Amino acid sequence: LAFRTLDQQCTVTRPGVSGLASNVAVELIAGLVQHSDGFSAAHSGGASASAASSADSPLGVVPHQIRGYLAEFRLALAETEPFPKCICCSSAVLARFEEEGMDFIEKIINDSSQLE
């Protein structure tokens, strides 16, 4: 077991952290679904946000990222520059999804190396 990461070894830590991560993910998806621009919503929240930017969603701000600090039991909103090689939202990935739809998703599930 020594070659495995802590989350693969520890049966106490992993369920707690995965629950927190899934809770945050659900809140992010709910915020995007309820936003007037949907999944095309611009970043809101964090240092550069204005009060008007959160008005587009009845559930509040829609951050780029939420980083967790377990030692401090704290979550922080993070605003970042888009990464051109992102395997989730890069223009190449979005274009392929636009062309192929759910077939693209199925291909990626079966062979994630297509994203490299």
Side-chain angles (χ1 to χ4, degrees):
L1 290 177
F3 61 89
R4 293 186 179 178
T5 61
L6 178 62
D7 68 327
Q8 292 175 329
Q9 293 180 40
C10 183
T11 58
V12 176
T13 303
R14 188 173 185 188
V17 174
S18 64
L20 290 172
S22 63
N23 291 339
V24 170
V26 167
E27 292 297 323
L28 287 172
I29 295 294
L32 287 169
V33 167
Q34 296 300 315
H35 195 280
S36 59
D37 292 333
F39 284 85
S40 298
H43 166 76
S44 62
S48 67
S50 66
S53 66
S54 64
D56 294 334
S57 176
L59 299 179
V61 299
V62 180
H64 278 174
Q65 294 180 10
I66 299 178
R67 295 190 181 161
Y69 301 92
L70 290 177
E72 301 168 8
F73 295 98
R74 180 173 64 92
L75 297 175
L77 304 182
E79 182 177 356
T80 60
E81 293 294 321
F83 180 56
K85 303 285 185 189
C86 179
I87 62 168
C88 181
C89 64
S90 67
S91 57
V93 171
L94 294 176
R96 276 194 65 192
F97 178 71
E98 192 75 30
E99 289 173 19
E100 301 175 32
M102 291 308 290
D103 289 337
F104 174 63
I105 302 296
E106 188 174 337
K107 287 178 191 175
I108 298 307
I109 289 170
N110 292 326
D111 180 17
S112 63
S113 68
Q114 293 189 32
L115 292 174
E116 295 173 3

